[in-house]
Amino acid sequence: MKIIKKIMQVFINVLLVLVTLLILFLVYRIVSIKFFKKDVTLRYTFYEIATGSMEPTLTVKDFIIVKESDKYSVGDIITYKEDNSYITHRIIKINGDTLVTKGDANNSEDKIISKSEVIGKVVKIIPKGGVIKEIILTPKIIFTLLVTLVLINLCFSLTKKEDKRAIKLNKDENIEIIDLY
């Protein structure tokens, strides 16, 4: 039983560290977006697909990881900023420093953009990852998870310690209690 308690305590401590790191990462990301007006974290940016313009390749609630890049080719899926929106479409033409993109499900091309407007190239698609993100990043769930982990950790660390005393009989039949600590 002691081994199971130790394993659980280590597991809970690791989960607490991971949740803390997640919260710190989210705070860093919010600060970088709000104050520095930069949405790229360590050359990678994370987005959730909001429309069906790239179906069937990308569907609503898919999660994508976009990496900064200098080189693009026809067929790459890129994310760029237009006004206050982020658009993720496929490159269909390259003319020097300008790109023409189009959503896979769209009938018409997008307006011509310059390479400087591009945030990066899609390097990973996590199907329906946006749903998982919504669940994990809900403040109530983060708080509940954190409190639960702390309470479980307290339960394992505050359990009664076993009584480590022994009874010793002397030769003259006197009883003596010995602490084994």
Side-chain angles (χ1 to χ4, degrees):
M1 190 65 172
K2 285 183 182 182
I3 294 172
I4 293 173
K5 286 182 183 179
K6 288 282 186 191
I7 291 171
M8 285 301 293
Q9 195 163 12
V10 168
F11 178 71
I12 298 298
N13 288 338
V14 167
L15 282 177
L16 281 171
V17 168
L18 290 175
V19 168
T20 304
L21 289 174
L22 175 67
I23 291 169
L24 289 174
F25 174 76
L26 293 174
V27 168
Y28 166 76
R29 183 137 192 251
I30 290 168
V31 167
S32 68
I33 293 169
K34 294 283 184 187
F35 297 108
F36 301 114
K37 305 295 185 209
K38 187 162 180 152
D39 194 24
V40 177
T41 307
L42 303 174
R43 297 195 60 185
Y44 289 90
T45 312
F46 312 94
Y47 295 101
E48 180 182 332
I49 301 300
T51 69
S53 67
M54 281 296 293
E55 287 184 350
T57 309
L58 300 172
T59 59
V60 175
K61 297 286 184 196
D62 281 355
F63 200 63
I64 57 171
I65 300 173
V66 177
K67 182 180 180 185
E68 283 182 347
S69 181
D70 295 329
K71 298 179 183 178
Y72 302 102
S73 49
V74 173
D76 286 345
I77 300 173
I78 61 165
T79 298
Y80 62 93
K81 189 171 183 175
E82 182 178 271
D83 300 324
N84 286 329
S85 300
Y86 294 96
I87 299 171
T88 301
H89 283 169
R90 190 178 305 277
I91 297 173
I92 58 170
K93 293 179 196 166
I94 299 176
N95 298 319
D97 278 347
T98 62
L99 305 169
V100 178
T101 61
K102 178 180 164 296
D104 290 355
N106 293 351
N107 292 327
S108 60
E109 299 175 350
D110 300 330
K111 71 174 193 167
I112 297 173
I113 59 168
S114 71
K115 285 185 180 179
S116 63
E117 295 175 76
V118 178
I119 293 170
K121 188 186 315 189
V122 174
V123 292
K124 181 71 177 167
I125 301 167
I126 302 166
K128 300 300 177 197
V131 174
I132 296 167
K133 181 195 83 159
E134 284 178 17
I135 292 170
I136 292 173
L137 298 182
T138 303
K140 288 179 184 176
I141 291 179
I142 291 174
F143 180 75
T144 304
L145 179 64
L146 198 58
V147 168
T148 303
L149 292 174
V150 168
L151 290 175
I152 290 172
N153 194 10
L154 284 174
C155 287
F156 279 108
S157 63
L158 296 178
T159 55
K160 275 189 169 180
K161 295 188 177 184
E162 294 176 19
D163 193 8
K164 295 187 178 183
R165 291 185 289 178
I167 298 175
K168 179 181 175 186
L169 293 175
N170 289 338
K171 290 182 186 177
D172 52 352
E173 295 189 24
N174 290 333
I175 298 175
E176 184 180 344
I177 298 176
I178 304 169
D179 286 330
L180 300 175
Y181 293 103

